[in-house]
Amino acid sequence: MNAEVHHSIAQFLYREAYLLDYRRYLEWLELLADDIVYRMPVRVTTVNEPGSTNIVNDMAYVEETKSGLTIRAQRLFTKSAWAENPAPRQRHFVSNIRVEAGPRENEYVVRSYFLFKRSRSSEPGTEELFGEREDILRQVDGQWRIARRTVYPDQAVLSVMNLSMFL
Amino acid sequence: MTLTQKDIQQLKEKMAEGYLPQWVLTDPDIFRLEQEKIFARTWHFLGHESELKEPGSYVTRWIVNDPVLLVRTQTGQIKAFLNSCSHRGVRLCTEDFGNKRAFTCPYHGWTYDLDGNLIGIVAGNKVFGQNVNKEAWGLRPIPRLASYQGMIFANLDPNAMSLEEYLGDMKWYLDIILGRSDGGMEVRGVPHRWIAKGNWKMTSENFAADPYHVQMTHRSTVEMGITPKDPLYASYGHQVVLGNGHGINVITTESGQSPNPFQGTPEAMWPMFERNLSPAQLQVFRNATVLVGGVYPNLSFISSVNGSEEYKYNHVNFRVWRPLGPDRMEIWVWFMIDRAFPESYKEKSYQAFLRTFGASGTLEQDDTENWARIVEASGGIMARDKSLSYNNVLNYLMGFGNLEPDANFPGPGVAYPTTYTDAVARSMHEFWLDLMTRE
């Protein structure tokens, strides 16, 4: 993959993380293609077998369209979305970005590792989630749009008290 | 540790006045006693028969801290064992699910078949003698195992009453959800699992006994225009005390009728419901907007309706609050759907579930915050003072002495003509004390 495309995609993902961390969810929604499929399937522990997977696609923690994500984001701006009011402080760390050609000419398959950390209230402990994301990024009029996002958490039992965040 | 006579006297007196001393939420000795007196003696939900599709299918589960291996044997029977090798106690199987003919311990290689028989000892009689008695060293069975409508329960107490007797009048209501369709229900995929702060008594109470929280905890849905502004909207209907700590809320609307008969299930399914349910069950089901309840101690369920303006979809989930301490729990949520429903409806029901319940559910997110705040504020000197000198009692006075049961309600149990009452919560805590003080 040429360095220019890789750099451009990395900068896009960092900007996305910034918008999420600062709860600029409405601007974040603008980064999503109208036909986005956003999923977070469930990780499980299974025996090692050739070709087997420890992801259960039949059950997800989140499975959303753009309109569903919009409703979720709008809800977080109500006065009584208690999970985020007061808002926890959050950081999305994105690394290990790999870019490959995508299913269409203007699309790329982008895999990245994520580490999400959150600090709630005056709790000294922090919550975290980590794993890998598999995105399809689409170039539309010189802008990147997320056309598909699959979030693979590494934990079979999540150690966050809820999934109010976007990953 | 046991409760002292003084503790018991105080708890009885306060409960009789409609209070619950706050110290019982986070006291570590109470939690140890709950494991012995409650979780080791009541029926505990392990999973659904549809999770064990064929011979050799297994899932691993927990009864608080006891690891359980739940299997379907070669002859199709369901069995449950302590998931621990009889030799040195190693957790035999660490996978969540799978299919096997036998389980081999990774420590020394002892091997067990699906019936729990010890079928292989490495170097067997060479090291253990000629008369090694394999029969004596099989996997240790969970003392009691029983199913109701596909729901598998276990009990560590060999002398416990039968599951059906324990469920009692709750069966009538479970049948409305689990028995309405030919072929029953099935679990989709695997359960959601995550760890949250909270005390299991409070989360169980939230489902079985507390539609009152809906107007405030879930007020964001009112702000969004999804639910009515009327603060009583979740109160219409009945709260039903069912005995043995079980309870259910049959929520409807102010008119007593649901705008979505039979919870928005496909109309083509209604004749099937009429075949499978009694007229009284049909009446309850037809008019309910939400059925939300709990099987004591820590199985909760909700059958609700969500969707767009035009189309509403019924969705059902069952959940176990597995206590990890007095202030922490692992939440397990199973999404379930009628096998007989059209595939397209099953998918819509799943989407409606994911938007509202489970780890990311827009309703459940805000519940987790409030459950956390209860235990965060219940661990200090004032909340934990056993002499109650700081007035550290919680208020269960809603409907206490000012609400009579409705004799015309068609279902069994003691039904109160509103769900905004603490009747079920009081019965849960009284049953808690009863169990905690049994020999």
Side-chain angles (χ1 to χ4, degrees):
Chain A
M1 192 49 55
N2 80 54
E4 201 178 320
V5 171
H6 191 283
H7 177 76
S8 171
I9 284 174
Q11 293 304 310
F12 172 79
L13 292 178
Y14 299 154
R15 174 163 170 74
E16 185 206 3
Y18 166 80
L19 292 176
L20 289 174
D21 291 345
Y22 288 85
R23 299 173 56 80
R24 289 163 68 167
Y25 299 134
L26 301 180
E27 289 166 78
W28 174 70
L29 288 166
E30 290 171 13
L31 307 183
L32 313 181
D34 290 340
D35 59 345
I36 187 173
V37 178
Y38 176 104
R39 296 177 64 245
M40 180 173 172
V42 173
R43 179 80 71 176
V44 289
T45 307
T46 52
V47 288
N48 301 344
E49 269 169 14
S52 80
T53 167
N54 56 12
I55 290 289
V56 173
N57 276 303
D58 217 20
M59 178 53 62
Y61 290 111
V62 194
E63 191 160 317
E64 277 296 8
T65 57
K66 183 154 185 180
S67 68
L69 291 168
T70 305
I71 290 168
R72 283 175 182 267
Q74 287 170 342
R75 197 191 78 84
L76 293 178
F77 289 125
T78 64
K79 287 182 200 143
S80 46
W82 309 117
E84 299 227 353
N85 186 11
R89 283 71 57 187
Q90 55 185 348
R91 296 286 163 194
H92 293 72
F93 300 93
V94 180
S95 73
N96 303 54
I97 298 165
R98 290 166 295 146
V99 179
E100 287 170 26
R104 293 188 224 161
E105 201 182 336
N106 61 338
E107 292 181 343
Y108 295 87
V109 176
V110 181
R111 295 183 179 83
S112 58
Y113 292 176
F114 72 90
L115 171 64
F116 171 88
K117 301 275 290 186
R118 178 163 80 175
S119 171
R120 171 185 166 275
S121 182
S122 53
E123 289 297 294
T126 56
E127 291 186 307
E128 67 178 31
L129 280 169
F130 51 95
E132 183 165 0
R133 300 187 305 190
E134 188 175 300
D135 298 339
I136 292 179
L137 293 194
R138 183 184 297 155
Q139 208 154 27
V140 183
D141 301 328
Q143 305 285 323
W144 292 112
R145 292 285 175 269
I146 305 168
R148 191 176 177 89
R149 167 157 294 167
T150 311
V151 181
Y152 297 107
D154 282 343
Q155 291 170 303
V157 181
L158 305 180
S159 58
V160 288
M161 61 192 263
N162 58 51
L163 293 172
S164 66
M165 76 297 283
F166 301 103
L167 293 164
Chain B
M1 179 264 180
T2 53
L3 286 166
T4 65
Q5 280 309 314
K6 197 177 143 206
D7 293 337
I8 294 167
Q9 195 55 36
Q10 177 212 74
L11 289 164
K12 273 192 182 146
E13 277 170 22
K14 291 299 162 188
M15 286 186 192
E17 294 169 37
Y19 307 138
L20 181 69
Q22 196 171 358
W23 64 269
V24 303
L25 298 187
T26 56
D27 187 281
D29 291 332
I30 285 283
F31 178 63
R32 276 192 285 277
L33 199 62
E34 285 172 346
Q35 291 176 68
E36 285 171 39
K37 300 280 191 180
I38 296 178
F39 291 99
R41 293 182 176 186
T42 50
W43 287 93
H44 190 281
F45 180 67
L46 290 180
H48 188 263
E49 288 176 1
S50 63
E51 294 181 272
L52 301 167
K53 287 194 171 50
E54 50 209 17
S57 292
Y58 65 89
V59 294
T60 54
R61 297 286 144 90
W62 294 87
I63 301 175
V64 191
N65 287 322
D66 288 274
V68 177
L69 181 58
L70 187 65
V71 303
R72 193 180 283 279
T73 67
Q74 291 299 347
T75 58
Q77 277 183 289
I78 292 173
K79 293 195 172 179
F81 305 99
L82 184 67
N83 183 10
S84 171
C85 180
S86 304
H87 178 223
R88 283 290 193 279
V90 168
R91 182 148 73 109
L92 189 61
C93 178
T94 55
E95 301 102 61
D96 297 326
F97 63 88
N99 191 289
K100 284 184 182 176
R101 302 172 76 93
F103 295 89
T104 298
C105 178
Y107 199 10
H108 303 90
W110 287 28
T111 298
Y112 305 87
D113 69 12
L114 297 167
D115 290 289
N117 301 310
L118 177 60
I119 54 169
I121 301 178
V122 176
N125 50 19
K126 289 200 181 72
V127 289
F128 286 95
Q130 288 299 326
N131 299 317
V132 52
N133 182 5
K134 281 190 194 158
E135 284 77 28
W137 294 98
L139 289 177
R140 290 155 284 186
I142 305 300
R144 300 282 294 281
L145 193 70
S147 288
Y148 184 74
Q149 294 278 24
M151 306 284 282
I152 307 165
F153 291 80
N155 199 316
L156 301 188
D157 178 3
N159 302 314
M161 69 173 84
S162 72
L163 173 64
E164 294 220 11
E165 189 185 349
Y166 180 68
L167 291 174
D169 286 339
M170 178 54 99
K171 289 188 294 178
W172 193 90
Y173 297 92
L174 286 176
D175 288 349
I176 294 176
I177 300 171
L178 299 166
R180 64 196 187 187
S181 288
D182 300 342
M185 299 197 101
E186 61 189 1
V187 168
R188 175 171 168 142
V190 293
H192 281 195
R193 294 171 67 183
W194 77 103
I195 290 170
K197 281 185 170 182
N199 177 267
W200 69 270
K201 293 188 286 298
M202 293 291 110
T203 51
S204 292
E205 183 191 289
N206 178 274
F207 274 68
D210 189 11
Y212 182 48
H213 82 282
V214 173
Q215 42 79 28
M216 193 62 185
T217 296
H218 305 307
R219 201 178 69 181
S220 69
T221 60
V222 181
E223 288 190 61
M224 298 281 288
I226 297 166
T227 39
K229 282 199 172 70
D230 175 8
L232 289 168
Y233 79 92
S235 77
Y236 304 115
H238 290 81
Q239 181 172 99
V240 192
V241 179
L242 295 170
N244 290 342
H246 314 318
I248 191 166
N249 300 277
V250 179
I251 305 177
T252 177
T253 62
E254 194 173 3
S255 71
Q257 296 189 330
S258 169
N260 308 290
F262 299 112
Q263 296 199 296
T265 50
E267 207 167 331
M269 301 291 116
W270 298 357
M272 177 175 71
F273 301 155
E274 283 163 20
R275 275 203 322 276
N276 291 328
L277 301 176
S278 71
Q281 286 171 315
L282 283 168
Q283 185 190 334
V284 165
F285 184 24
R286 176 187 291 275
N287 296 325
T289 51
V290 179
L291 297 165
V292 58
V295 174
Y296 204 81
N298 66 334
L299 172 67
S300 299
F301 60 90
I302 182 165
S303 174
S304 190
V305 184
N306 289 94
S308 64
E309 287 291 311
E310 307 95 285
Y311 301 103
K312 300 285 184 192
Y313 299 96
N314 173 225
H315 55 94
V316 173
N317 71 78
F318 280 78
R319 71 248 325 286
V320 162
W321 319 102
R322 175 194 168 201
L324 300 174
D327 56 359
R328 238 158 54 96
M329 62 202 168
E330 179 183 339
I331 306 177
W332 295 61
V333 178
W334 290 258
F335 168 76
M336 296 191 12
I337 184 79
D338 308 58
R339 279 183 215 270
F341 282 10
E343 289 305 317
S344 58
Y345 190 91
K346 291 182 184 179
E347 193 61 28
K348 295 288 189 184
S349 170
Y350 169 62
Q351 301 291 350
F353 156 70
L354 285 182
R355 287 203 173 146
T356 46
F357 286 93
S360 81
T362 48
L363 298 179
E364 189 137 7
Q365 286 175 28
D366 294 335
D367 284 316
T368 61
E369 174 69 23
N370 284 324
W371 299 333
R373 290 196 199 182
I374 294 174
V375 292
E376 285 168 351
S378 299
I381 297 285
M382 287 180 71
R384 288 263 289 273
D385 176 52
K386 289 174 87 171
S387 61
L388 306 183
S389 50
Y390 301 98
N391 197 27
N392 44 320
V393 291
L394 304 176
N395 179 318
Y396 288 85
L397 292 170
M398 192 166 54
F400 185 66
N402 64 350
L403 187 67
E404 290 301 315
D406 177 0
N408 296 320
F409 185 70
V414 181
Y416 292 89
T418 172
T419 70
Y420 282 9
T421 170
D422 289 322
V424 167
R426 288 191 300 268
S427 79
M428 291 170 78
H429 301 321
E430 283 160 14
F431 188 57
W432 173 86
L433 185 59
D434 177 12
L435 291 171
M436 291 286 273
T437 52
R438 284 186 198 176
E439 275 310 304

